[in-house]
Amino acid sequence: MKTAVDKIVSLSDGDQTVELQKYLSSLTDDQLITVITNSALKGKKVGTTIKGIFKGSPSTSTEGSNRRLLLYQHCIPLCESGDLQTEVAADIIGLLMLETHTLSGPSLAQLASLFVEAIKMGKMGSGKSLELFPTVLTALAACEALSYGKGELSGDEYKKQLINSLCSSRWDPQCVIHLTTMFRDVPLSSEELRFLVEKVLRMFSKLDLQEIPPLVYQLLLLSAKGCKKQVLDGIISYFKEQDLRQEEEQKHGESLDLEVQSIPEDQLRHVEGTAILHIVFAIRLDHELGREFLKSFKVAYTSYVDLCPFSVALLLSVARIQRYEEQVFELLKGAVIKSFKDEQLQQGSKFLQDLLPGHSSIAQMILDTVKNSVFGWDHVTQGLVQLGFFLMDTFGPKPGPFGKTTEGSATVARTPTQLACKLGGQVLLQGFKMHEPIRGEILEQVLNRLVTKTASPVHHYLDLFSDIVVSAPMILLESSTKVTETFDHLSYLPLATVQGLLKAVQPLLKVSMSLKDALILVLRKAMFSSQLDGRKSAVTGFLLLLKNFRVLGSLASSQCSQAVSSSQVQVDVHSRYNSAANEAFCLEILSSLRRCLGQQADVRLMLYEGFYDVLRRNSQLASSIMQTLFSQLKRYYEPEQDLLPPVKLEPCITAHGEQVYLQEPLAHLLSCTVHCLLWLQNMRRSANPNADDSDDEEEEEEEGYQSELQTILDSMTRRMIKSELEDFELDKSAEFSMGSSVGVKNNIYAVLVMGVYEVLMEYNFIKANYRKSHFEELIELFTHYHKLSEILKEKSGKGRVPSSKTPRSLLSLSFVSTLLTVLFRDSTQSREDALSVLRSSGEFVRYAVNVAVQKIQQLEETGHTDGPDGQNADKTFSFLCDMTSVLMWRYTNIPSVVEDAGKKEKRCSLSLLCLEGLLRIFTACQQRYPDKMAQLLSTMEISEDDAEPDDGNVTEINFFYIRQFQRALFTQLNRREEEFNSKEAQLLVSILSVLSRQLKPSSQQFVQMITWTVKICKETSFEDSAFCKGLLSLLFNLHVLYKTPVSLFLELCRDIHSQLGDIDQDVEVEKQCHFAIVNMKTATTATLLVLSQIDKVLDEVDWLITRKKSQVASEKSGSEEATQTAGQQDPVEKAVTLQLGTLLTALNELVQTALLPGTCTITLLRELSRTYTILTTLVKYYIQVCASQHGALPARVEKLVKLSGSHLTPQCYLFITYAQNGEFSGGGADDKKKKKRGEVNSAKLLRDTKAIPNLIFSIEQYEKYLITLSKKSKVNLMQYMKLSTSRDFRINAATLDAALQEQDDSQETTESQDAEETQEPKQKKRKQ
């Protein structure tokens, strides 16, 4: 054989073509094959041999042509067999490629079939010879005609048939990648490409996971030809499916004890990461692909297709490409806020919940992406950081009016924007915990924002920073320089930011000396800052340090629970860094703080409010703190026992020009001193109850100033009781107007004196230990306090500009709580006598409840209260529980009827005050302690005949109290109208609505609650609009969570119509009474409420139609499978049509009602206009459906159009006429008010006339699109519409006659002309 090879080579080289041909003809096919095989296996001279064979086989002769075909047919399997060296196989294929175009048509067809068969049989394992296939197909396509079956096909058609048969057959998973690579070189029509891409995507699930990334890469290269959307969607949906399977396995794996997962998670994540890299790389090179991806993402979230963590991760990776960055974040922002808004809409409506399944939230997707990115997705993490900050910046709290920042961090995130901001924080926090490389950047960006965003609130960043410190204190210590740099800006930052920042870094100060030293340096500088806020920041910082660096020997009870205990942070603490060092350090700080006692009132106030907490946490500092306070108090105390008053008020104020300022908040100083003293005495007592002889010098010294302080306080009490208002220059004749400096000075004095009285009242109550004489003194103190507060109220009421609100009470929350308990519930025999002194003073009892209400209100607004323990959330909550129990007992056991009988005063009774307190407690608890509501309710004990509720069942407890309040309201409603207490009834309704929010809408109790509310609305006929508003609001709020409220609207609208009468005075309205609560007096209120609720239902309907529209659009663009059978109607479409049908009927009632001109009329016009706009949207949707699916128009829709055209529209036009007449006639009813009302009315008319054209425009738009729908659906919908005349020039005959008559009297000559003129428009009208 060797000779044969050599011979072919030598003949070929010597250009002896004829001999070569002869020699080749002499060889049989088998011999030729053997020659090729041997030379190929040895790898020698194979190229020249093949070249020689080609040379000696001219394609023009049949023999040569057949030999060429034989060569191809043998070489292709030979290359696939895997026996050849790679280079040899590549050489052979290269040579064959060069000669392919010379093959005849039939040979090409045979060769192509050989390839197709080999692929079907799975013999294309290595894919080497596949490189030849595109060349074969291209050559085939160029052929004129080929025999196929019994007929002929053009080469192009033949190629199509081949590709079709290839894509329809089964592929061996091993050769999928080779085939995909091969098809890149095949010219394909768009139809063939689509068919091919579908086939490859179907093969994904049959491949091994590791083979997916290379296939994705090849597919993306293939997408350069087209089908970009299909390729991307296919890849994303494959990974989405894998994620879901993975999730299912994790869920069920725990219960089934599956040892082996079908796909290990880390493997899946790594594959996903590689696929993302490939896609991003492809997008960088092909911007069309990028645009397609962003478009499909947008379509996915607008048409409510569930997204998946993979697509979110991919999107974040794409954000690294600069040209897409902005678009990506805008898209994600839109998706996040839309997801939260939709969720909120669905949660608030049972109608929507029943109609649609809940879809997975994008927030969860984003958090899953953070979790998945641990598996080496570095290309995603950068996007996550940007997204987190983007969400926090965009949706964070905004500055209030005039750049003021709102106080305190928000309560629980409730609105979509708050939730989006919170999500940003979660992304950053999780990212910080999981990824080391981005920690530095997150920290730096958070701190930068704290420093730079001084104009807007930053509490969301403070919360994030605090969470970071708690979750990873050690990591933060590594970047402590960044924190130190932030400290340098402390004195320039707003106070709230400083407080939050210092609170957050506090755990770090305990373990890092350098950080603590840096902070102290900064605070010392700030102490001498020229800015008041800077000095306040210094005080805040120092007080915080004092609280947290405990001195050895501090009492155990003063231990404070730290968010991060030092044990969590393993640090080598320096030996000198201990309690002894702490003591020197704390004393040094205290001496710095003493300087503040000479500064502005605000700075001193902070100090007084902080000292009590410091003392409680660090009791060893007691003597220095007490001495500081004591010496400060002495400055304002009058030591002469016979002189009145006992305090010097002059030094407490300072003047600057004509302005008078408070210099020393005396009452706060006194309050701080008293609380510290009482706490210390209490501690000493509990620490050593039977230590009689203590020879400790320090303790003697303590005893010394304690007794001295007590003497001072007793003397003050005695002399304050003796002092008259004149002693303070504050009698009835004093001036209190805030306009003059004297008035301001008197106001400051009055507030200080009232504060002193309050502090002394608290001190004497605690010291009294239930002794009658002390309580009598307390009442005398109160009498003085009350007299002064009455004067202040009276004076401030007189001035045209009311002065500031009543000053905040200085009583502590714990005292208020104790006081209420002893006043109402304490039945201890021994205390009876003393307590009767307090109880007999109605004013005092009233004052106690008033202060309680004030404190709870402050808690609700800011999250904390003034005074000791005001910042301690747990203690505050326990006081709330005590007060709830007392107020509830007082309200239920002493009915307000008993009180009211005694006195007919204008002020509200005690029961009402208690009720207001309860309402405020429930609202505050729901806002500030949403998880503790059940705990709050379970502390209230009620000694009623009812069985006590079982503590275990939260709903039961809640419903137990709901029943109590229902009973109270029922009692109110059973009285005669003149005895009905509207204020109390309103409060009860408010309480019921707060408590009913705690019920689950699916529970039995919720249904009972609704039934009861409906019953009350149907049976109560009091003419009280405020009560009616509260009750109907409660009814609507409950009803919407139970089922759709449209039927309710219809009944209410019928009631309103029958109460107010028809716009046509000649029409008698049939008397209907579904709800007695609707009467002449309350009908207007009810109308406005119903209209606002109709607006909400229209929102829902609008949302549903938009949702359906986007789904139709995406189905249309995606596939043509979405044809719907004409008989059955989509449940969403059906629901929308029914809702709108009932709403139209309800509005039809209102449009015929003689509503009062003004707000009611305008609101109704607006709602009508909105209704028509939504009807237009629905019509546009059906135009879209008819165009794409050629379905018949549902009969329901036809009915809806009929209802709108024949009933509502004509009535709308009548109502417009009525509204215009009403406005003109209502203009000048009263001569006295005419001038004043002239301007108001013209503005009002302008506003109303805007609502009218809007309505007419909406109706006409609706009719315009109806014409289009009629054409598309072949149903004549316009038969129900009547031509409107509202735009035409209307002539009122009666008015015209009257005017003509007047003119007739004055001059007869002009009469004929006038008549002619008035005829003209009529003729014109006829022409129309």
Side-chain angles (χ1 to χ4, degrees):
M1 276 291 90
K2 188 180 176 194
T3 52
V5 173
D6 292 339
K7 191 158 188 182
I8 293 171
V9 172
S10 62
L11 286 171
S12 163
D13 287 350
D15 282 342
Q16 298 161 340
T17 318
V18 180
E19 282 88 342
L20 184 57
Q21 284 180 14
K22 277 183 190 168
Y23 179 67
L24 286 174
S25 304
S26 69
L27 293 172
T28 63
D29 286 0
D30 291 344
Q31 285 171 325
L32 190 64
I33 285 168
T34 317
V35 169
I36 296 165
T37 310
N38 286 348
S39 69
L41 287 171
K42 287 177 184 163
K44 289 175 185 168
K45 298 184 181 174
V46 65
T48 38
T49 311
I50 290 175
K51 276 183 194 164
I53 296 173
F54 275 135
K55 209 171 198 179
S57 314
S59 55
T60 46
S61 68
T62 316
E63 189 190 351
S65 182
N66 289 342
R67 198 177 298 124
R68 283 180 173 232
L69 181 59
L70 178 72
L71 182 64
Y72 274 90
Q73 283 172 333
H74 176 60
C75 284
I76 290 168
L78 187 63
C79 289
E80 278 302 315
S81 66
D83 300 335
L84 306 185
Q85 293 170 5
T86 326
E87 302 85 44
V88 177
D91 283 349
I92 294 175
I93 295 295
L95 285 168
L96 295 181
M97 269 171 140
L98 291 172
E99 295 292 331
T100 310
H101 63 280
T102 60
L103 292 172
S104 64
S107 306
L108 286 167
Q110 255 180 297
L111 201 52
S113 306
L114 171 88
F115 268 109
V116 173
E117 283 311 310
I119 291 168
K120 285 182 183 173
M121 304 294 285
K123 288 181 183 166
M124 284 287 166
S126 71
K128 295 259 179 357
S129 54
L130 275 176
E131 292 173 25
L132 190 55
F133 195 28
T135 327
V136 174
L137 287 176
T138 315
L140 244 185
C143 293
E144 290 296 317
L146 294 162
S147 61
Y148 182 77
K150 290 179 182 175
E152 275 194 347
L153 277 179
S154 71
D156 204 32
E157 282 299 316
Y158 193 83
K159 185 195 81 167
K160 269 189 189 159
Q161 292 292 346
L162 271 175
I163 290 175
N164 197 1
S165 107
L166 186 59
C167 291
S168 314
S169 64
R170 181 180 286 116
W171 289 4
D172 181 13
Q174 283 182 329
C175 63
V176 177
I177 295 175
H178 302 310
L179 284 169
T180 314
T181 316
M182 181 270 298
F183 272 114
R184 278 168 43 205
D185 302 325
V186 180
L188 297 167
S189 70
S190 58
E191 196 54 41
E192 289 166 347
L193 184 64
R194 200 170 64 81
F195 195 39
L196 170 70
V197 169
E198 268 174 32
K199 172 71 183 171
V200 177
L201 290 171
R202 278 202 302 278
M203 290 302 294
F204 264 49
S205 52
K206 298 191 175 68
L207 287 180
D208 193 29
L209 197 61
Q210 294 307 326
E211 289 175 353
I212 296 292
L215 181 55
V216 165
Y217 180 69
Q218 294 303 335
L219 251 185
L220 289 165
L221 290 174
L222 185 65
S223 74
K225 291 171 180 271
C227 285
K228 298 182 189 330
K229 182 178 187 304
Q230 198 184 349
V231 168
L232 285 169
D233 288 354
I235 295 171
I236 290 171
S237 63
Y238 166 75
F239 282 117
K240 181 177 172 181
E241 215 171 287
Q242 298 303 316
D243 281 349
L244 286 172
R245 193 182 306 164
Q246 175 75 34
E247 210 174 299
E248 285 299 309
E249 276 181 15
Q250 276 179 347
K251 266 185 205 162
H252 302 307
E254 290 154 16
S255 54
L256 300 173
D257 294 330
L258 283 178
E259 284 301 316
V260 187
Q261 288 183 317
S262 57
I263 305 170
E265 187 182 6
D266 56 346
Q267 199 181 338
L268 174 65
R269 298 291 172 242
H270 286 306
V271 167
E272 285 180 343
T274 317
I276 288 175
L277 278 176
H278 285 323
I279 298 173
V280 174
F281 182 67
I283 288 177
R284 273 184 201 279
L285 300 175
D286 179 1
H287 292 308
E288 190 53 47
L289 189 67
R291 276 197 289 276
E292 205 53 65
F293 171 56
L294 293 180
K295 205 158 90 184
S296 71
F297 185 87
K298 192 170 186 181
V299 166
Y301 89 77
T302 47
S303 55
Y304 302 90
V305 176
D306 279 348
L307 300 162
C308 61
F310 178 78
S311 59
V312 174
L314 180 53
L315 201 61
L316 289 169
S317 291
V318 171
R320 294 177 74 188
I321 305 172
Q322 201 174 0
R323 69 184 288 167
Y324 298 120
E325 186 178 356
E326 202 175 319
Q327 277 170 284
V328 165
F329 289 123
E330 282 301 324
L331 264 178
L332 277 168
K333 176 178 103 173
V336 165
I337 199 75
K338 183 171 187 299
S339 161
F340 282 130
K341 278 181 177 165
D342 292 351
E343 214 172 300
Q344 196 181 36
L345 198 63
Q346 264 179 289
Q347 281 170 356
S349 161
K350 186 77 167 95
F351 165 64
L352 292 181
Q353 285 166 21
D354 291 346
L355 208 52
L356 301 165
H359 54 281
S360 57
S361 78
I362 189 162
Q364 198 46 52
M365 300 292 160
I366 293 174
L367 291 173
D368 284 348
T369 307
V370 182
K371 199 169 67 197
N372 297 346
S373 64
V374 180
F375 298 94
W377 292 9
D378 296 343
H379 42 90
V380 180
T381 48
Q382 194 51 45
L384 282 170
V385 173
Q386 280 176 282
L387 176 69
F389 281 113
F390 184 73
L391 290 175
M392 286 185 84
D393 291 343
T394 315
F395 298 116
K398 299 285 174 273
F402 312 113
K404 283 181 186 166
T405 55
T406 46
E407 188 185 344
S409 72
T411 47
V412 190
R414 285 197 173 90
T415 64
T417 41
Q418 284 173 342
L419 288 166
C421 175
K422 184 179 165 196
L423 172 67
Q426 286 171 316
V427 167
L428 289 171
L429 181 62
Q430 297 304 328
F432 188 89
K433 286 181 186 172
M434 291 176 184
H435 299 286
E436 198 173 330
I438 56 173
R439 282 173 187 159
E441 190 189 344
I442 292 180
L443 189 61
E444 194 168 341
Q445 292 220 39
V446 171
L447 292 173
N448 282 349
R449 280 168 169 76
L450 291 180
V451 172
T452 52
K453 289 182 177 281
T454 47
S456 49
V458 287
H459 52 74
H460 51 309
Y461 291 116
L462 284 169
D463 293 344
L464 172 62
F465 182 57
S466 173
D467 290 342
I468 287 176
V469 174
V470 172
S471 65
M474 282 311 296
I475 297 159
L476 258 167
L477 284 183
E478 290 161 22
S479 9
S480 59
T481 47
K482 288 188 177 124
V483 183
T484 317
E485 281 168 27
T486 315
F487 285 164
D488 294 341
H489 301 280
L490 273 188
S491 54
Y492 309 107
L493 295 180
L495 190 61
T497 310
V498 175
Q499 286 173 332
L501 183 64
L502 293 179
K503 223 175 235 167
V505 294
Q506 162 211 314
L508 300 178
L509 297 176
K510 295 197 160 185
V511 287
S512 165
M513 286 293 285
S514 56
L515 212 56
K516 189 184 82 170
D517 293 344
L519 177 62
I520 288 174
L521 270 176
V522 170
L523 292 177
R524 279 192 184 141
K525 279 185 199 163
M527 226 33 199
F528 299 99
S529 161
S530 56
Q531 300 295 319
L532 177 63
D533 260 8
R535 297 198 296 277
K536 282 187 178 176
S537 302
V539 173
T540 307
F542 278 142
L543 285 171
L544 199 84
L545 288 171
L546 284 177
K547 271 183 224 172
N548 291 302
F549 285 88
R550 295 191 54 230
V551 180
L552 196 61
S554 283
L555 294 168
S557 66
S558 64
Q559 283 172 358
C560 56
S561 59
Q562 280 298 312
V564 174
S565 60
S566 308
S567 59
Q568 200 177 333
V569 190
Q570 300 296 314
V571 175
D572 170 30
V573 177
H574 306 285
S575 54
R576 69 186 183 84
Y577 189 65
N578 53 27
S579 301
N582 278 353
E583 182 163 14
F585 163 68
C586 289
L587 291 173
E588 188 187 345
I589 291 180
L590 269 175
S591 67
S592 290
L593 284 177
R594 284 200 190 98
R595 292 199 195 100
C596 298
L597 294 175
Q599 295 192 3
Q600 279 91 335
D602 286 2
V603 182
R604 299 183 189 192
L605 193 60
M606 288 189 73
L607 206 55
Y608 300 150
E609 285 181 347
F611 267 161
Y612 176 77
D613 274 348
V614 171
L615 187 65
R616 262 191 53 237
R617 305 254 185 111
N618 223 341
S619 56
Q620 281 301 86
L621 299 174
S623 67
S624 25
I625 289 181
M626 289 311 288
Q627 277 165 354
T628 308
L629 289 171
F630 190 38
S631 60
Q632 185 71 359
L633 187 61
K634 274 184 170 173
R635 291 186 190 177
Y636 306 99
Y637 171 67
E638 177 57 68
E640 275 300 322
Q641 295 298 312
D642 301 335
L643 285 181
L644 294 182
V647 287
K648 303 172 187 169
L649 293 182
E650 277 292 324
C652 292
I653 56 167
T654 174
H656 187 75
E658 288 199 353
Q659 294 286 332
V660 178
Y661 298 105
L662 173 68
Q663 177 74 25
E664 173 67 66
L666 179 62
H668 286 84
L669 167 62
L670 188 63
S671 164
C672 176
T673 316
V674 164
H675 284 300
C676 289
L677 178 69
L678 292 171
W679 186 82
L680 273 175
Q681 288 177 340
N682 209 5
M683 284 317 301
R684 292 273 173 263
R685 223 171 289 134
S686 54
N688 44 359
N690 46 9
D692 299 330
D693 51 342
S694 60
D695 51 357
D696 198 346
E697 279 179 34
E698 191 181 314
E699 228 158 83
E700 277 178 20
E701 178 198 330
E702 258 180 40
E703 291 299 323
Y705 70 70
Q706 282 191 18
S707 59
E708 197 174 337
L709 248 177
Q710 277 174 323
T711 317
I712 287 182
L713 288 170
D714 291 342
S715 156
M716 269 175 107
T717 307
R718 193 169 40 77
R719 287 191 280 164
M720 284 298 275
I721 292 172
K722 282 185 189 167
S723 303
E724 291 298 323
L725 289 182
E726 286 79 3
D727 296 330
F728 300 106
E729 301 169 21
L730 297 173
D731 54 356
K732 280 195 172 173
S733 57
E735 186 186 348
F736 285 99
S737 77
M738 296 302 277
S740 68
S741 56
V742 179
V744 173
K745 185 191 85 166
N746 286 344
N747 259 307
I748 293 176
Y749 277 6
V751 173
L752 287 177
V753 172
M754 281 161 72
V756 170
Y757 277 129
E758 284 194 309
V759 176
L760 290 174
M761 280 194 270
E762 184 165 342
Y763 171 71
N764 280 293
F765 178 86
I766 291 166
K767 204 190 73 171
N769 204 2
Y770 301 98
R771 288 199 293 278
K772 189 174 179 182
S773 57
H774 282 73
F775 277 178
E776 281 165 355
E777 282 181 4
L778 193 153
I779 289 294
E780 284 184 46
L781 281 171
F782 171 72
T783 315
H784 286 295
Y785 167 87
H786 184 64
K787 198 186 289 178
L788 185 51
S789 84
E790 286 298 303
I791 291 177
L792 259 187
K793 266 187 211 160
E794 184 188 327
K795 294 281 182 178
S796 65
K798 276 183 188 171
R800 263 186 300 175
V801 185
S803 69
S804 56
K805 294 184 297 184
T806 45
R808 278 190 191 156
S809 168
L810 282 178
L811 302 185
S812 64
L813 193 61
S814 58
F815 171 62
V816 174
S817 164
T818 316
L819 187 59
L820 286 182
T821 315
V822 297
L823 283 175
F824 295 140
R825 302 284 316 258
D826 197 326
S827 50
T828 319
Q829 204 61 47
S830 56
R831 299 176 181 175
E832 194 68 39
D833 207 18
L835 284 175
S836 62
V837 175
L838 299 182
R839 287 174 183 162
S840 59
S841 163
E843 285 299 350
F844 181 69
V845 176
R846 212 187 155 67
Y847 158 77
V849 181
N850 254 325
V851 173
V853 173
Q854 186 196 50
K855 292 277 176 194
I856 299 159
Q857 188 173 354
Q858 190 191 0
L859 176 71
E860 184 187 341
E861 287 164 7
T862 61
H864 54 80
T865 61
D866 297 333
D869 296 327
Q871 304 278 357
N872 184 331
D874 295 334
K875 285 203 167 184
T876 310
F877 181 73
S878 71
F879 295 142
L880 269 191
C881 291
D882 299 343
M883 291 198 285
T884 314
S885 146
V886 172
L887 293 175
M888 187 72 190
W889 181 88
R890 170 70 180 70
Y891 178 71
T892 41
N893 285 3
I894 303 178
S896 49
V897 196
V898 180
E899 286 182 6
D900 292 349
K903 48 183 178 182
K904 293 280 178 204
E905 289 185 29
K906 280 187 181 175
R907 298 179 310 173
C908 56
S909 65
L910 251 183
S911 279
L912 266 190
L913 270 177
C914 293
L915 205 52
E916 191 182 338
L918 285 170
L919 172 60
R920 290 222 179 266
I921 289 176
F922 294 145
T923 344
C925 184
Q926 217 167 43
Q927 271 197 339
R928 301 282 162 183
Y929 309 96
D931 316 331
K932 294 188 173 178
M933 195 70 177
Q935 197 183 327
L936 178 84
L937 292 172
S938 56
T939 54
M940 308 199 295
E941 319 140 7
I942 295 186
S943 47
E944 286 276 315
D945 304 337
D946 281 289
E948 278 293 309
D950 167 28
D951 275 8
N953 190 341
V954 179
T955 319
E956 277 298 321
I957 296 173
N958 198 355
F959 196 61
F960 175 78
Y961 290 107
I962 286 180
R963 281 206 306 275
Q964 297 284 339
F965 290 114
Q966 282 179 342
R967 208 169 295 155
L969 182 60
F970 200 69
T971 317
Q972 269 295 338
L973 297 176
N974 281 344
R975 298 183 184 180
R976 295 197 304 278
E977 180 125 8
E978 57 273 12
E979 284 178 3
F980 171 68
N981 185 338
S982 166
K983 185 87 174 34
E984 185 172 345
Q986 286 169 49
L987 284 171
L988 284 167
V989 169
S990 305
I991 288 179
L992 284 171
S993 62
V994 174
L995 290 180
S996 62
R997 277 182 223 148
Q998 300 292 316
L999 294 174
K1000 289 192 182 70
S1002 52
S1003 65
Q1004 189 57 45
Q1005 288 88 343
F1006 190 82
V1007 181
Q1008 282 174 293
M1009 178 77 196
I1010 285 196
T1011 323
W1012 181 84
T1013 314
V1014 171
K1015 181 171 179 278
I1016 292 287
C1017 289
K1018 289 195 167 179
E1019 292 172 4
T1020 308
S1021 57
F1022 288 152
E1023 294 188 344
D1024 187 310
S1025 51
F1027 173 63
C1028 164
K1029 186 177 182 177
L1031 197 56
L1032 282 179
S1033 301
L1034 173 64
L1035 175 63
F1036 289 142
N1037 291 341
L1038 293 172
H1039 211 287
V1040 80
L1041 294 172
Y1042 176 57
K1043 62 175 187 191
T1044 169
V1046 282
S1047 50
L1048 200 65
F1049 299 160
L1050 184 55
E1051 291 185 350
L1052 280 163
C1053 290
R1054 286 186 174 142
D1055 287 351
I1056 293 167
H1057 190 185
S1058 77
Q1059 286 294 339
L1060 292 178
D1062 199 274
I1063 47 178
D1064 184 350
Q1065 287 158 358
D1066 305 335
V1067 174
E1068 175 102 11
V1069 187
E1070 176 196 349
K1071 277 287 172 206
Q1072 291 186 332
C1073 189
H1074 302 96
F1075 290 93
I1077 191 87
V1078 179
N1079 47 48
M1080 276 306 283
K1081 199 77 172 286
T1082 60
T1084 310
T1085 310
T1087 311
L1088 286 170
L1089 267 176
V1090 169
L1091 285 172
S1092 74
Q1093 289 299 318
I1094 285 180
D1095 197 50
K1096 284 180 188 165
V1097 175
L1098 286 175
D1099 279 339
E1100 290 171 16
V1101 170
D1102 196 12
W1103 183 74
L1104 283 172
I1105 300 172
T1106 318
R1107 189 186 164 106
K1108 286 299 292 176
K1109 272 178 88 171
S1110 58
Q1111 279 172 353
V1112 167
S1114 66
E1115 281 166 5
K1116 193 173 160 188
S1117 64
S1119 61
E1120 279 74 51
E1121 298 159 22
T1123 46
Q1124 205 178 352
T1125 47
Q1128 70 183 71
Q1129 194 186 358
D1130 178 84
V1132 175
E1133 291 178 21
K1134 180 181 168 185
V1136 164
T1137 323
L1138 290 174
Q1139 288 282 80
L1140 281 172
T1142 321
L1143 279 185
L1144 289 182
T1145 322
L1147 284 167
N1148 188 35
E1149 288 288 337
L1150 279 186
V1151 162
Q1152 297 177 55
T1153 309
L1155 295 174
L1156 296 174
T1159 330
C1160 258
T1161 314
I1162 301 166
T1163 315
L1164 177 57
L1165 287 169
R1166 278 193 200 132
E1167 289 312 314
L1168 285 169
S1169 171
R1170 178 129 198 255
T1171 308
Y1172 278 108
T1173 312
I1174 286 171
L1175 282 171
T1176 312
T1177 318
L1178 185 65
V1179 168
K1180 284 181 186 171
Y1181 165 70
Y1182 278 111
I1183 292 174
Q1184 199 179 341
V1185 171
C1186 288
S1188 62
Q1189 297 174 5
H1190 314 294
L1193 198 66
R1196 272 201 187 85
V1197 178
E1198 211 177 322
K1199 274 186 191 163
L1200 184 69
V1201 173
K1202 182 178 179 182
L1203 185 66
S1204 69
S1206 53
H1207 287 67
L1208 189 59
T1209 314
Q1211 287 300 340
C1212 280
Y1213 287 126
L1214 288 174
F1215 185 75
I1216 288 172
T1217 314
Y1218 164 77
Q1220 284 173 325
N1221 291 346
E1223 282 302 335
F1224 284 114
S1225 63
D1230 198 344
D1231 278 348
K1232 288 178 191 169
K1233 294 181 186 172
K1234 231 178 190 177
K1235 285 180 187 170
K1236 277 187 192 172
R1237 287 182 58 181
E1239 292 169 33
V1240 181
N1241 263 329
S1242 58
K1244 215 165 151 199
L1245 272 175
L1246 278 171
R1247 202 167 70 229
D1248 301 351
T1249 44
K1250 196 174 166 193
I1252 292 171
N1254 283 352
L1255 172 57
I1256 294 171
F1257 176 71
S1258 305
I1259 295 175
E1260 289 176 358
Q1261 281 294 97
Y1262 171 53
E1263 290 173 2
K1264 173 182 149 188
Y1265 282 102
L1266 271 181
I1267 295 171
T1268 317
L1269 182 60
S1270 300
K1271 287 175 188 166
K1272 292 265 188 213
S1273 64
K1274 316 279 188 296
V1275 178
N1276 178 16
L1277 298 168
M1278 291 310 289
Q1279 61 186 358
Y1280 309 119
M1281 297 292 150
K1282 296 183 175 58
L1283 194 66
S1284 83
T1285 56
S1286 197
R1287 277 178 181 268
D1288 300 340
F1289 179 60
R1290 293 196 298 270
I1291 293 175
N1292 189 328
T1295 322
L1296 187 70
D1297 284 349
L1300 288 177
Q1301 198 63 46
E1302 269 179 35
Q1303 282 188 327
D1304 194 27
D1305 295 349
S1306 57
Q1307 57 191 125
E1308 284 179 26
T1309 46
T1310 52
E1311 189 233 348
S1312 56
Q1313 293 167 7
D1314 275 9
E1316 279 168 27
E1317 279 172 22
T1318 50
Q1319 287 301 317
E1320 275 181 25
K1322 285 191 180 177
Q1323 284 169 354
K1324 280 180 194 162
K1325 196 171 172 186
R1326 231 178 267 133
K1327 273 180 200 167
Q1328 279 183 342

